[in-house]
Amino acid sequence: MKRILSGMVAAVFALGASAAQAQDKPPLKLGGILDMSSLYADITGPGSETAAKMAAEDFGGEVLGRKIQIIAADHLNKADLAANIARDMLDNQGVEMLFDVAASATALAAGEIAKARNKIVILNGPGSIRLTNEACGPYTVHYVFDTFAQANVTGLAAVKSGLDTWFFLTADYAFGQDLEKDTSNVVTKTGGKVLGNVRHPLNSSDFSSFLLQAQASKAKVIGLANAGGDTVNAIKQSAEFGIMKGGQKISPLLAFVTDIDSIGLETAQGLLLAEAFYWDLNDDTRAFAKRFQERVKRPPTSAQAGVYSSVTHYLKAVKAAGTTDSAAVMKVMKETPINDFFAKGGRIREDGRMVHDMYLFEVKKPSESKGRWDDYKLLATVSGNEAFQSLEQSRCPLVKK
């Protein structure tokens, strides 16, 4: 009896010690570097932070005996600030993985910090194709979209429908320049012509002089190589100038459902746009959107949906690898297909590109919409292999040719 009691006491102490040891483990910190207050705040911002927290909660709140903690910081769309935040998160705050890093210039800056420290960075909001070309890294993942896919899906469809002369209104930084370049390549290779371009500062409020140049070009399409508030303002002001009524088409080369809501269907109707995700695609997307909207009061953008999907994929890989070591976790992430509401059969290639289906949408007329956020008609589903740059075209040093 004494031996039995002694064994029971020892077992209780062992369990207590194990629990205490688990509680003593530091939290697994994931850091979002976001635009919380400026022109991309609706696209990523607080919604991306919420999506990451939802992913952590749905995973059970801990992994490998460590509580999952989501932290976020506002980079104010400044590359140097994004780099400083990344440095502080990784060096001083114990962050193991960075996510989102909305905007391309900020992503390029923060990505170099993560690369130097052999830390995983998953990019959801940025679009520059450079992120999986010259700036690729062994632990960098470009998850949602990029300028090549946006140009390939939207530009190709437009030129094939007869919209074969283009003028670009471009945000003057890495993302805008790459989006213009990639779309120009698609237009010319498909038999179209580029009649000119004009570049505007980031976060512009007055597009009048730029739009007058675009209008004077007589191009059939004015391609907006910008995003967020810049896209919204450019479309609204083009309507005020009567550009669309004059017969020219406005093509937002990157637009989100939040942008269309800001513009309104009366002005946005008929726009063609490429997206990686739409909340009303199927039962799975609608189920996630309903949960997200309960917290954020609107559906998720593709970037925010991508945050949830990518954080979940990362946590599953940490659990499977049994460690947070970047090499071990990334190996599992690249070996494991992604099948969830965001992507079916998605995969992370050696250059860090997550390949998945893309969608071509047309913005509905007001008479076709059943209510707020019912904004898109699906025109085509484009497979990831068709939408994204091939490995043969890649300029990533990691790609073996």
Side-chain angles (χ1 to χ4, degrees):
M1 180 63 96
K2 285 182 180 180
R3 284 198 298 270
I4 293 172
L5 287 173
S6 297
M8 290 175 65
V9 170
V12 169
F13 274 115
L15 287 171
S18 177
Q21 188 178 19
Q23 288 176 357
D24 287 342
K25 289 184 178 180
L28 174 59
K29 295 182 181 180
L30 312 182
I33 304 178
L34 310 167
D35 180 355
M36 303 292 274
S37 56
S38 188
L39 75 165
Y40 304 137
D42 285 346
I43 296 169
T44 63
S48 285
E49 182 182 7
T50 297
K53 288 181 176 178
M54 289 174 65
E57 291 166 12
D58 290 348
F59 197 77
E62 66 174 45
V63 63
L64 306 183
R66 298 171 64 181
K67 183 180 179 181
I68 304 163
Q69 185 177 346
I70 306 297
I71 63 175
D74 189 351
H75 60 42
L76 303 176
N77 281 311
K78 296 179 180 179
D80 57 344
L81 181 56
N84 288 336
I85 291 170
R87 192 177 292 110
D88 182 58
M89 283 184 171
L90 298 175
D91 293 351
N92 303 321
Q93 297 187 50
V95 167
E96 298 275 5
M97 182 271 274
L98 301 177
F99 67 87
D100 203 332
V101 201
S104 295
T106 48
L108 288 163
E112 288 303 311
I113 302 300
K115 193 188 303 183
R117 287 151 179 77
N118 293 322
K119 293 295 185 180
I120 292 173
V121 55
I122 305 177
L123 306 167
N124 306 92
S128 175
I129 190 65
R130 297 181 212 182
L131 294 163
T132 47
N133 279 319
E134 298 87 353
C136 72
Y139 308 123
T140 300
V141 178
H142 204 178
Y143 205 83
V144 178
F145 64 94
D146 61 34
T147 52
F148 186 98
Q150 295 297 129
N152 209 24
V153 174
T154 308
L156 191 61
V159 175
K160 283 185 175 180
S161 70
L163 300 172
D164 55 3
T165 57
W166 287 63
F167 185 97
F168 290 96
L169 198 157
T170 303
D172 194 12
Y173 77 116
F175 164 76
Q177 294 161 16
D178 286 350
L179 187 52
E180 178 190 326
K181 179 182 176 182
D182 289 334
T183 309
S184 295
N185 288 339
V186 170
V187 169
T188 54
K189 286 179 181 178
T190 318
K193 293 181 180 179
V194 176
L195 303 185
N197 72 337
V198 62
R199 292 185 174 175
H200 67 82
L202 186 67
N203 208 6
S204 295
S205 58
D206 183 4
F207 286 87
S208 56
S209 64
F210 311 122
L211 289 168
L212 286 172
Q213 292 179 61
Q215 190 175 35
S217 74
K218 305 297 183 184
K220 293 179 183 178
V221 182
I222 299 171
L224 302 181
N226 51 23
D230 284 336
T231 298
V232 171
N233 287 334
I235 293 174
K236 285 181 176 178
Q237 290 174 37
S238 68
E240 293 169 6
F241 277 91
I243 290 176
M244 288 172 279
K245 287 183 178 178
Q248 289 175 294
K249 290 277 189 181
I250 301 291
S251 177
L253 298 171
L254 178 65
F256 298 84
V257 70
T258 47
D259 301 325
I260 302 305
D261 184 68
S262 296
I263 296 163
L265 295 184
E266 190 64 44
T267 299
Q269 60 183 302
L271 294 177
L272 291 178
L273 51 90
E275 280 262 39
F277 167 89
Y278 178 48
W279 71 270
D280 200 21
L281 272 176
N282 53 53
D283 289 344
D284 290 341
T285 60
R286 285 187 286 271
F288 174 73
K290 182 180 179 182
R291 294 174 55 222
F292 183 90
Q293 193 161 357
E294 287 171 355
R295 300 193 186 200
V296 183
K297 309 307 177 189
R298 58 169 176 74
T301 64
S302 57
Q304 292 159 349
V307 166
Y308 179 97
S309 175
S310 60
V311 168
T312 300
H313 189 61
Y314 169 81
L315 292 173
K316 287 180 178 178
V318 168
K319 182 177 180 180
T323 177
T324 57
D325 174 74
S326 294
V329 173
M330 186 57 71
K331 184 175 185 295
V332 176
M333 289 178 69
K334 288 182 175 179
E335 290 175 348
T336 308
I338 298 156
N339 288 296
D340 58 15
F341 71 89
F342 182 81
K344 301 298 181 189
R347 69 187 192 283
I348 300 172
R349 297 189 315 203
E350 59 190 282
D351 61 346
R353 174 69 258 167
M354 201 282 265
V355 178
H356 54 83
D357 289 349
M358 292 286 292
Y359 306 96
L360 179 67
F361 295 106
E362 181 181 345
V363 177
K364 290 182 175 181
K365 300 174 183 176
S367 60
E368 296 172 320
S369 175
K370 297 176 183 177
R372 189 180 182 190
W373 305 113
D374 180 25
D375 294 341
Y376 294 168
K377 288 189 293 187
L378 179 63
L379 298 184
T381 300
V382 182
S383 73
N385 289 334
E386 292 180 284
F388 292 101
Q389 176 183 269
S390 68
L391 280 177
E392 288 71 27
Q393 296 170 288
S394 175
R395 300 183 299 278
C396 171
L398 301 172
V399 175
K400 299 173 184 176
K401 296 183 180 180

Short mmCIF file of all heavy atoms in Angstrom, two decimals, residues 256-266 268-271 273 275 278-280 299 361-366 368-378:
data_model
loop_
_atom_site.label_atom_id
_atom_site.label_comp_id
_atom_site.label_asym_id
_atom_site.label_seq_id
_atom_site.Cartn_x
_atom_site.Cartn_y
_atom_site.Cartn_z
N PHE A 256 -9.48 45.81 -53.84
CA PHE A 256 -10.05 44.92 -52.85
C PHE A 256 -11.51 45.25 -52.64
O PHE A 256 -11.97 46.34 -53.01
CB PHE A 256 -9.28 45.04 -51.53
CG PHE A 256 -7.83 44.64 -51.62
CD1 PHE A 256 -6.87 45.54 -52.06
CD2 PHE A 256 -7.42 43.36 -51.26
CE1 PHE A 256 -5.53 45.17 -52.15
CE2 PHE A 256 -6.08 42.98 -51.35
CZ PHE A 256 -5.14 43.89 -51.79
N VAL A 257 -12.23 44.35 -52.02
CA VAL A 257 -13.66 44.56 -51.82
C VAL A 257 -13.92 45.80 -50.97
O VAL A 257 -14.94 46.48 -51.15
CB VAL A 257 -14.30 43.28 -51.20
CG1 VAL A 257 -13.84 43.07 -49.75
CG2 VAL A 257 -15.82 43.33 -51.30
N THR A 258 -12.99 46.15 -50.09
CA THR A 258 -13.15 47.36 -49.29
C THR A 258 -13.04 48.62 -50.17
O THR A 258 -13.70 49.62 -49.91
CB THR A 258 -12.08 47.42 -48.19
OG1 THR A 258 -10.79 47.12 -48.77
CG2 THR A 258 -12.37 46.42 -47.09
N ASP A 259 -12.20 48.55 -51.21
CA ASP A 259 -12.08 49.67 -52.14
C ASP A 259 -13.39 49.87 -52.90
O ASP A 259 -13.87 51.00 -53.06
CB ASP A 259 -10.96 49.43 -53.14
CG ASP A 259 -9.60 49.24 -52.49
OD1 ASP A 259 -9.36 49.90 -51.45
OD2 ASP A 259 -8.80 48.47 -53.00
N ILE A 260 -13.95 48.77 -53.40
CA ILE A 260 -15.20 48.85 -54.17
C ILE A 260 -16.33 49.39 -53.30
O ILE A 260 -17.16 50.19 -53.74
CB ILE A 260 -15.57 47.47 -54.74
CG1 ILE A 260 -14.43 46.94 -55.63
CG2 ILE A 260 -16.87 47.55 -55.53
CD1 ILE A 260 -14.01 47.87 -56.75
N ASP A 261 -16.34 48.99 -52.03
CA ASP A 261 -17.35 49.50 -51.11
C ASP A 261 -17.20 51.01 -50.92
O ASP A 261 -18.20 51.74 -50.86
CB ASP A 261 -17.25 48.78 -49.76
CG ASP A 261 -18.32 49.19 -48.77
OD1 ASP A 261 -19.50 48.87 -49.01
OD2 ASP A 261 -17.98 49.86 -47.78
N SER A 262 -15.97 51.48 -50.82
CA SER A 262 -15.72 52.92 -50.66
C SER A 262 -16.13 53.71 -51.90
O SER A 262 -16.64 54.82 -51.81
CB SER A 262 -14.23 53.17 -50.36
OG SER A 262 -13.85 52.60 -49.14
N ILE A 263 -15.87 53.12 -53.07
CA ILE A 263 -16.20 53.80 -54.32
C ILE A 263 -17.71 53.81 -54.58
O ILE A 263 -18.26 54.81 -55.03
CB ILE A 263 -15.47 53.11 -55.50
CG1 ILE A 263 -13.95 53.25 -55.33
CG2 ILE A 263 -15.90 53.70 -56.84
CD1 ILE A 263 -13.15 52.29 -56.18
N GLY A 264 -18.35 52.67 -54.28
CA GLY A 264 -19.78 52.52 -54.56
C GLY A 264 -20.01 51.89 -55.91
O GLY A 264 -19.29 52.16 -56.88
N LEU A 265 -21.04 51.04 -56.02
CA LEU A 265 -21.29 50.32 -57.27
C LEU A 265 -21.71 51.24 -58.40
O LEU A 265 -21.45 50.94 -59.57
CB LEU A 265 -22.38 49.25 -57.04
CG LEU A 265 -22.03 48.11 -56.08
CD1 LEU A 265 -23.15 47.09 -56.05
CD2 LEU A 265 -20.72 47.44 -56.48
N GLU A 266 -22.33 52.35 -58.10
CA GLU A 266 -22.76 53.28 -59.15
C GLU A 266 -21.56 53.74 -59.97
O GLU A 266 -21.64 53.86 -61.20
CB GLU A 266 -23.46 54.49 -58.52
CG GLU A 266 -24.15 55.41 -59.53
CD GLU A 266 -25.29 54.73 -60.26
OE1 GLU A 266 -26.10 54.02 -59.62
OE2 GLU A 266 -25.34 54.88 -61.50
N ALA A 268 -18.30 52.19 -59.61
CA ALA A 268 -17.37 51.07 -59.86
C ALA A 268 -17.93 50.02 -60.81
O ALA A 268 -17.15 49.18 -61.30
CB ALA A 268 -17.00 50.42 -58.54
N GLN A 269 -19.21 50.03 -61.11
CA GLN A 269 -19.81 48.97 -61.91
C GLN A 269 -19.06 48.76 -63.24
O GLN A 269 -18.63 49.70 -63.89
CB GLN A 269 -21.27 49.28 -62.21
CG GLN A 269 -21.51 50.56 -62.97
CD GLN A 269 -23.00 50.84 -63.17
OE1 GLN A 269 -23.71 50.03 -63.74
NE2 GLN A 269 -23.46 51.99 -62.68
N GLY A 270 -18.87 47.48 -63.58
CA GLY A 270 -18.21 47.15 -64.84
C GLY A 270 -16.71 47.02 -64.76
O GLY A 270 -16.07 46.55 -65.71
N LEU A 271 -16.10 47.43 -63.65
CA LEU A 271 -14.65 47.31 -63.52
C LEU A 271 -14.24 45.84 -63.54
O LEU A 271 -14.88 45.00 -62.93
CB LEU A 271 -14.16 47.95 -62.22
CG LEU A 271 -14.30 49.47 -62.06
CD1 LEU A 271 -13.82 49.89 -60.69
CD2 LEU A 271 -13.52 50.21 -63.14
N LEU A 273 -11.33 43.17 -62.40
CA LEU A 273 -10.23 43.11 -61.44
C LEU A 273 -9.91 41.67 -61.08
O LEU A 273 -10.77 40.78 -61.16
CB LEU A 273 -10.56 43.93 -60.18
CG LEU A 273 -11.89 43.68 -59.48
CD1 LEU A 273 -11.72 42.60 -58.42
CD2 LEU A 273 -12.40 44.95 -58.85
N GLU A 275 -8.50 39.00 -58.19
CA GLU A 275 -8.44 38.82 -56.73
C GLU A 275 -7.98 37.40 -56.42
O GLU A 275 -8.25 36.46 -57.18
CB GLU A 275 -9.80 39.06 -56.10
CG GLU A 275 -10.16 40.54 -55.91
CD GLU A 275 -9.88 41.00 -54.49
OE1 GLU A 275 -8.86 40.58 -53.92
OE2 GLU A 275 -10.70 41.77 -53.97
N TYR A 278 -12.43 35.93 -52.52
CA TYR A 278 -13.64 36.74 -52.35
C TYR A 278 -14.52 36.04 -51.33
O TYR A 278 -14.69 34.82 -51.38
CB TYR A 278 -14.36 36.91 -53.68
CG TYR A 278 -15.65 37.68 -53.63
CD1 TYR A 278 -15.73 38.91 -52.98
CD2 TYR A 278 -16.81 37.20 -54.23
CE1 TYR A 278 -16.92 39.64 -52.94
CE2 TYR A 278 -18.00 37.91 -54.21
CZ TYR A 278 -18.05 39.12 -53.56
OH TYR A 278 -19.23 39.84 -53.51
N TRP A 279 -15.08 36.81 -50.45
CA TRP A 279 -15.80 36.23 -49.33
C TRP A 279 -17.00 35.38 -49.75
O TRP A 279 -17.40 34.45 -49.05
CB TRP A 279 -16.27 37.34 -48.38
CG TRP A 279 -17.38 38.19 -48.92
CD1 TRP A 279 -17.26 39.34 -49.64
CD2 TRP A 279 -18.79 37.96 -48.80
NE1 TRP A 279 -18.49 39.84 -49.98
CE2 TRP A 279 -19.46 39.02 -49.47
CE3 TRP A 279 -19.56 36.96 -48.20
CZ2 TRP A 279 -20.84 39.10 -49.57
CZ3 TRP A 279 -20.95 37.04 -48.28
CH2 TRP A 279 -21.57 38.10 -48.95
N ASP A 280 -17.58 35.64 -50.93
CA ASP A 280 -18.83 34.97 -51.34
C ASP A 280 -18.60 33.92 -52.42
O ASP A 280 -19.50 33.62 -53.19
CB ASP A 280 -19.81 36.04 -51.85
CG ASP A 280 -21.27 35.54 -51.85
OD1 ASP A 280 -21.56 34.57 -51.12
OD2 ASP A 280 -22.09 36.12 -52.58
N PRO A 299 -16.59 42.11 -44.30
CA PRO A 299 -15.91 40.88 -44.74
C PRO A 299 -14.40 41.07 -44.85
O PRO A 299 -13.91 42.20 -44.93
CB PRO A 299 -16.53 40.62 -46.13
CG PRO A 299 -17.73 41.47 -46.22
CD PRO A 299 -17.49 42.65 -45.33
N PHE A 361 -12.87 38.98 -61.72
CA PHE A 361 -14.21 39.42 -61.37
C PHE A 361 -14.61 40.66 -62.16
O PHE A 361 -13.75 41.44 -62.59
CB PHE A 361 -14.30 39.77 -59.87
CG PHE A 361 -14.11 38.61 -58.94
CD1 PHE A 361 -12.92 38.47 -58.23
CD2 PHE A 361 -15.11 37.67 -58.76
CE1 PHE A 361 -12.74 37.41 -57.35
CE2 PHE A 361 -14.93 36.60 -57.89
CZ PHE A 361 -13.74 36.47 -57.18
N GLU A 362 -15.92 40.84 -62.31
CA GLU A 362 -16.48 42.09 -62.81
C GLU A 362 -17.33 42.67 -61.69
O GLU A 362 -18.08 41.94 -61.02
CB GLU A 362 -17.33 41.87 -64.05
CG GLU A 362 -17.93 43.15 -64.61
CD GLU A 362 -18.79 42.91 -65.84
OE1 GLU A 362 -18.72 41.81 -66.43
OE2 GLU A 362 -19.57 43.82 -66.19
N VAL A 363 -17.20 43.97 -61.46
CA VAL A 363 -18.00 44.62 -60.42
C VAL A 363 -19.46 44.72 -60.89
O VAL A 363 -19.73 45.13 -62.01
CB VAL A 363 -17.44 46.01 -60.09
CG1 VAL A 363 -18.33 46.70 -59.05
CG2 VAL A 363 -16.01 45.89 -59.56
N LYS A 364 -20.36 44.33 -60.02
CA LYS A 364 -21.78 44.29 -60.35
C LYS A 364 -22.38 45.68 -60.54
O LYS A 364 -21.89 46.66 -59.98
CB LYS A 364 -22.56 43.57 -59.23
CG LYS A 364 -22.31 42.08 -59.14
CD LYS A 364 -23.16 41.46 -58.04
CE LYS A 364 -23.01 39.94 -58.02
NZ LYS A 364 -23.87 39.31 -56.97
N LYS A 365 -23.45 45.72 -61.31
CA LYS A 365 -24.28 46.92 -61.36
C LYS A 365 -25.08 47.01 -60.06
O LYS A 365 -25.35 45.98 -59.42
CB LYS A 365 -25.25 46.84 -62.53
CG LYS A 365 -24.60 46.73 -63.89
CD LYS A 365 -25.66 46.50 -64.97
CE LYS A 365 -25.01 46.32 -66.34
NZ LYS A 365 -26.02 46.02 -67.38
N PRO A 366 -25.49 48.20 -59.66
CA PRO A 366 -26.30 48.31 -58.44
C PRO A 366 -27.55 47.43 -58.48
O PRO A 366 -27.94 46.85 -57.45
CB PRO A 366 -26.67 49.79 -58.40
CG PRO A 366 -25.57 50.48 -59.13
CD PRO A 366 -25.16 49.53 -60.22
N GLU A 368 -27.83 44.56 -59.76
CA GLU A 368 -27.49 43.14 -59.62
C GLU A 368 -27.11 42.77 -58.19
O GLU A 368 -27.07 41.58 -57.85
CB GLU A 368 -26.31 42.81 -60.54
CG GLU A 368 -26.61 42.96 -62.02
CD GLU A 368 -25.37 42.81 -62.89
OE1 GLU A 368 -24.30 43.31 -62.49
OE2 GLU A 368 -25.48 42.20 -63.96
N SER A 369 -26.82 43.74 -57.37
CA SER A 369 -26.35 43.48 -56.01
C SER A 369 -27.51 43.26 -55.05
O SER A 369 -28.52 43.98 -55.09
CB SER A 369 -25.51 44.66 -55.52
OG SER A 369 -25.12 44.48 -54.18
N LYS A 370 -27.34 42.27 -54.18
CA LYS A 370 -28.38 41.96 -53.19
C LYS A 370 -28.21 42.76 -51.90
O LYS A 370 -29.03 42.66 -51.00
CB LYS A 370 -28.36 40.47 -52.87
CG LYS A 370 -28.69 39.58 -54.06
CD LYS A 370 -28.54 38.11 -53.70
CE LYS A 370 -28.80 37.23 -54.91
NZ LYS A 370 -28.60 35.78 -54.61
N GLY A 371 -27.12 43.53 -51.82
CA GLY A 371 -26.89 44.31 -50.61
C GLY A 371 -25.43 44.69 -50.49
O GLY A 371 -24.61 44.36 -51.35
N ARG A 372 -25.11 45.40 -49.43
CA ARG A 372 -23.74 45.81 -49.22
C ARG A 372 -22.79 44.62 -49.19
O ARG A 372 -23.13 43.58 -48.61
CB ARG A 372 -23.63 46.60 -47.90
CG ARG A 372 -22.27 47.27 -47.72
CD ARG A 372 -22.18 48.04 -46.42
NE ARG A 372 -20.86 48.69 -46.32
CZ ARG A 372 -20.40 49.28 -45.22
NH1 ARG A 372 -21.15 49.33 -44.12
NH2 ARG A 372 -19.20 49.84 -45.21
N TRP A 373 -21.65 44.75 -49.83
CA TRP A 373 -20.59 43.76 -49.95
C TRP A 373 -20.86 42.71 -51.02
O TRP A 373 -19.98 41.90 -51.32
CB TRP A 373 -20.28 43.07 -48.62
CG TRP A 373 -19.97 44.02 -47.52
CD1 TRP A 373 -20.72 44.25 -46.40
CD2 TRP A 373 -18.83 44.89 -47.41
NE1 TRP A 373 -20.14 45.21 -45.61
CE2 TRP A 373 -18.96 45.62 -46.20
CE3 TRP A 373 -17.71 45.12 -48.22
CZ2 TRP A 373 -18.02 46.55 -45.79
CZ3 TRP A 373 -16.77 46.06 -47.80
CH2 TRP A 373 -16.94 46.76 -46.60
N ASP A 374 -22.06 42.71 -51.62
CA ASP A 374 -22.33 41.80 -52.74
C ASP A 374 -21.91 42.53 -54.01
O ASP A 374 -22.72 43.11 -54.72
CB ASP A 374 -23.82 41.44 -52.78
CG ASP A 374 -24.16 40.50 -53.94
OD1 ASP A 374 -23.25 39.79 -54.40
OD2 ASP A 374 -25.32 40.52 -54.38
N ASP A 375 -20.60 42.49 -54.30
CA ASP A 375 -20.01 43.39 -55.28
C ASP A 375 -19.50 42.73 -56.55
O ASP A 375 -19.36 43.41 -57.58
CB ASP A 375 -18.84 44.15 -54.64
CG ASP A 375 -19.28 45.08 -53.52
OD1 ASP A 375 -20.48 45.43 -53.47
OD2 ASP A 375 -18.43 45.46 -52.69
N TYR A 376 -19.18 41.44 -56.52
CA TYR A 376 -18.46 40.83 -57.64
C TYR A 376 -19.28 39.76 -58.36
O TYR A 376 -20.03 39.01 -57.75
CB TYR A 376 -17.19 40.12 -57.15
CG TYR A 376 -16.10 41.00 -56.57
CD1 TYR A 376 -15.04 40.41 -55.87
CD2 TYR A 376 -16.10 42.38 -56.72
CE1 TYR A 376 -14.02 41.18 -55.34
CE2 TYR A 376 -15.08 43.15 -56.19
CZ TYR A 376 -14.05 42.55 -55.50
OH TYR A 376 -13.03 43.31 -54.97
N LYS A 377 -19.04 39.68 -59.68
CA LYS A 377 -19.46 38.55 -60.50
C LYS A 377 -18.20 37.81 -60.93
O LYS A 377 -17.28 38.42 -61.46
CB LYS A 377 -20.22 39.01 -61.75
CG LYS A 377 -21.59 39.55 -61.51
CD LYS A 377 -22.34 39.78 -62.82
CE LYS A 377 -21.72 40.90 -63.65
NZ LYS A 377 -22.56 41.22 -64.85
N LEU A 378 -18.17 36.50 -60.73
CA LEU A 378 -17.01 35.71 -61.13
C LEU A 378 -17.05 35.46 -62.63
O LEU A 378 -18.02 34.90 -63.15
CB LEU A 378 -17.00 34.37 -60.37
CG LEU A 378 -15.85 33.42 -60.71
CD1 LEU A 378 -14.51 34.02 -60.34
CD2 LEU A 378 -16.05 32.08 -60.00
#
